[in-house]
Amino acid sequence: MVGNIIDHAARYHPRREIISRSVEGPIVKTNWSEVKNKSLQLTKALLNLGIKAGDVVGVMAWNTARHLEVVYGVPGSGAVNHTLNPRLFSEQLIYIINHAEDKILMVDPDLVSVIEPLIEKCPKVQNVIIMTEKRHMPSTDMKNILCYEELLAQEDIDIQWVKRSEHDACGICYTSGTTGNPKGVVYTHRSNTLHALASAAPDMLGLASTERIMPVVPLFHANGWSIGYTAPLTGASMIMPGRDMTPKALYEMLECGATVTAAVPTVWLLLLDFLEKENLKLTYLKRVVIGGSACPRAVIEKFQRKYGIKVLHAWGMTEMSPLGTICSFKPEVLTLSEEEKLNVQETTGHPPFTVDLKITDDQGNNLAWDGISPGKLWARGAAVVKRYLKSSSDIADKDGWFDTGDVATMDPNGYMRITDRSKDVIKSGGEWISSIDLENAAVGHPDITEAAAIGVAHPKWDERPIVVVVCHRDKTPLKKEILDFISKHVAKWQVPDDVIYMDEIPHTATGKISKVDLRQKLLETGYVHPDTVK
Ligand code: AMP
C-alpha cells in the first residue's frame, strides 16, 4: 500500500523538507514527518465524513505540501484519489466527476470558481473541502462546504491506514483521447508502488535522500509523473511550486535548492528565455526531466552547454502511470562525441525494469530494432493499464500489450524514438486539445460544411490548433466569426489560432478526413503560423 511509502519517509527521513509556495501566497516549509501526520488526520476526517473503502474523492489542487497530504490521506482512508485538471472544459469536468462518482471534492481556494458553476450537475458530491485555513476561506454559495485546516485540527493521529489489498484502486486520472469522452485510468496501490520503485532507479530519476526534486508537472497530469510517490520512497526533499508557473516564480522556487526538476518542454523554453534575459544562473539544479511531448534539441543543448544541467528526455503516458522511458546514457553512449550524444538525447531513451516495449507493423509482426524502421509502439508492464474505468473490454491484448497510439523506432541499444502520433490530438503547452471537439464545434456553424483541426508547430506552446474549413458556396464567414463561434463550445485556450479556407479537405479511401494529406497540402501552400510571422 502507498501508506508504506509515507511511513518509510516519516520514519527514516522525517526531517527532509517540503518547501511550497502556498496557495495563500508565502513560501512555507514542512517535512515528511509532518506530512504523514496531517495525512493521518485527513484519513480520520474522511472516515468521520462517512467515506468507505472504494469511495472516490476528487482533488483539484496545485502542487503544494497540502496536496501531498491528500495523496496519502485519501488512499489511507481506503478511498481513491481522483485528480481533477482545472483546465478541463466544464462539460468534461462534470463528466469525469460523475463518471468516477466522486463523493467528496477537495479544492484549492482559488479553484472554487471552477467548481462552483458545475457543482449542481454533480449530484453524488456530498461535501466540498476547501484546502486552506479558516481565515482564507473564499465566499461561496456552494452548500456543504468544509475548511481543510479546520477539519484536520479536530482530529488526532491515533489511527492506522485502512487496510486494503494491494490490487485495490489508489488513484484515478482521466485521459482525453481522440474520440469520445475522457477515459479513466485506475492506478492500484501495487502499481503505484512498483512504478515509484522503478522510476527512482539510477538510470531513471536517480533520486536519493540527498536530492531535492521540484515537480513543475502538476500532480493532476498523468499521475503527477509519480513524483509524489517516488520522492518520499527515496527520502528526497521536495519543492512544490504552487500555482504560479511564470518563469520568475519557478526560478525563485528552483533557487530554494532544487537539484532535479520535471516538466513539459514549454515550461523550459520559457524558463531558458527568462534566464537569458535576466542573465541568471541556477545554483543547485543538476538534472531536468523533460517529457510529455518531444523535447527540442535546442533546449537540451542550452541546458547542458550553457548551464551545465543534464537533460533527461522522457516519454510516458497517463496509461503507463506514466513512465515509459528515460534517456540516460548507457556505456555505448558515454563513449560518443558530444554531437552524437545529443542525437541520442533526441530519442526518449530506454525503459526501466517493469516496462517492456515492442514495435510492430500493422499486422502485428515485430519490427527490427535498427533505429530506422518505425512501427506501432506497444507497451506492457506492472503499471500499464489493462482496461479503462467502467469499460466492458480490455485495451491490452491477452499478453498484456497495450497499443500506445504512438509510432516509434527502437535502436540496437534499446533507445526508443517517437516519430509520430497515430492520434490526432493536439498538444498545446502540455495540455491535450481534441481535434474532434474543435471540428464538431466548427461544423456547428451554419455556413461551414466540413472542418478539420490540426496542430501546427508553435515556438512557445509546442503546438497550437488551427482549423481548416470548407464553407457553403457563396457564404464565407469571417475568421473572427468562426473563432467566436467555436469559443462558445470549448475552453478559451483551446480555441484555434487561425482559420484556413479550403475548397475541399482531402479524404481517405474510407471517406475519413486524411490529416496526413491535409498537412501535406498546407505545407505545399507554404502555411506559417500567424505568431511566427514578423
Ligand atoms: P499523456 O497521457 O497526456 O501524458 O500523453 C501521452 C502522449 O504524449 C504519448 O502517447 C506521446 O504521444 C506524447 N509524448 C509523451 N512524451 C513524449 C516525448 N518525449 N516525445 C514525444 N511525444 C511524447
Side-chain angles (χ1 to χ4, degrees), residues 144-359:
N144 301 324
I145 294 299
L146 295 161
C147 167
Y148 180 84
E149 292 298 343
E150 208 176 26
L151 193 67
L152 264 62
Q154 293 162 16
E155 308 294 348
D156 58 30
I157 56 167
D158 186 18
I159 188 167
Q160 305 281 317
W161 307 124
V162 170
K163 279 251 165 316
R164 301 287 280 150
S165 147
E166 63 174 344
H167 297 287
D168 281 329
C170 169
I172 305 174
C173 188
Y174 278 75
T175 176
S176 15
T178 37
T179 50
N181 286 316
K183 298 175 182 71
V185 178
V186 180
Y187 311 111
T188 64
H189 286 269
R190 177 187 163 84
S191 70
N192 271 337
T193 307
L194 288 172
H195 182 273
L197 277 166
S199 351
D203 261 354
M204 299 294 129
L205 294 186
L207 283 193
S209 61
T210 48
E211 304 270 9
R212 282 170 184 247
I213 184 160
M214 176 163 127
V216 180
V217 52
L219 293 183
F220 54 75
H221 263 189
N223 207 17
W225 296 10
S226 160
I227 297 169
Y229 303 113
T230 313
L233 181 134
T234 59
S237 289
M238 290 187 83
I239 297 180
M240 305 296 273
R243 75 176 160 146
D244 191 346
M245 294 288 150
T246 57
K248 186 169 180 288
L250 292 181
Y251 176 76
E252 189 186 358
M253 294 310 287
L254 286 167
E255 286 299 278
C256 289
T259 58
V260 191
T261 182
V264 293
T266 312
V267 167
W268 304 124
L269 275 166
L270 296 176
L271 184 85
L272 286 171
D273 194 44
F274 171 78
L275 292 178
E276 280 203 317
K277 276 203 187 111
E278 304 289 323
N279 197 20
L280 293 168
K281 291 260 183 270
L282 288 156
T283 320
Y284 311 97
L285 197 64
K286 293 184 290 187
R287 301 194 298 290
V288 53
V289 185
I290 309 184
S293 49
C295 180
R297 187 184 180 100
V299 170
I300 306 177
E301 255 186 301
K302 188 153 287 170
F303 263 122
Q304 295 184 164
R305 296 211 170 131
K306 181 151 187 193
Y307 299 99
I309 295 162
K310 175 90 190 278
V311 168
L312 293 170
H313 191 185
W315 165 83
M317 301 183 74
T318 305
E319 284 91 338
M320 298 179 69
S321 301
L323 179 62
T325 56
I326 283 190
C327 192
S328 54
F329 293 163
K330 297 187 188 182
E332 295 86 347
V333 179
L334 274 179
T335 51
L336 298 176
S337 70
E338 289 309 306
E339 279 308 299
E340 287 167 329
K341 278 190 186 135
L342 278 172
N343 294 343
V344 173
Q345 286 187 290
E346 282 188 280
T347 79
T348 56
H350 51 100
F353 175 68
T354 70
V355 173
D356 197 6
L357 300 176
K358 70 172 180 179
I359 47 170

Side-chain angles (χ1 to χ4, degrees), residues 21-26 62 64 66 108-110 131-132 242-243:
R21 186 187 297 282
S22 63
V23 284
E24 294 84 9
W62 306 112
T64 64
R66 217 175 255 143
D108 268 344
D110 61 306
M131 293 168 63
T132 189
R243 75 176 160 146

Side-chain angles (χ1 to χ4, degrees), residues 445-473:
H445 190 286
D447 296 333
I448 295 177
T449 45
E450 194 168 31
I454 55 169
V456 290
H458 186 277
K460 177 165 164 193
W461 303 110
D462 294 331
E463 273 191 343
R464 287 294 303 153
I466 62 162
V467 64
V468 179
V469 294
V470 179
C471 297
H472 283 297
R473 205 186 302 266

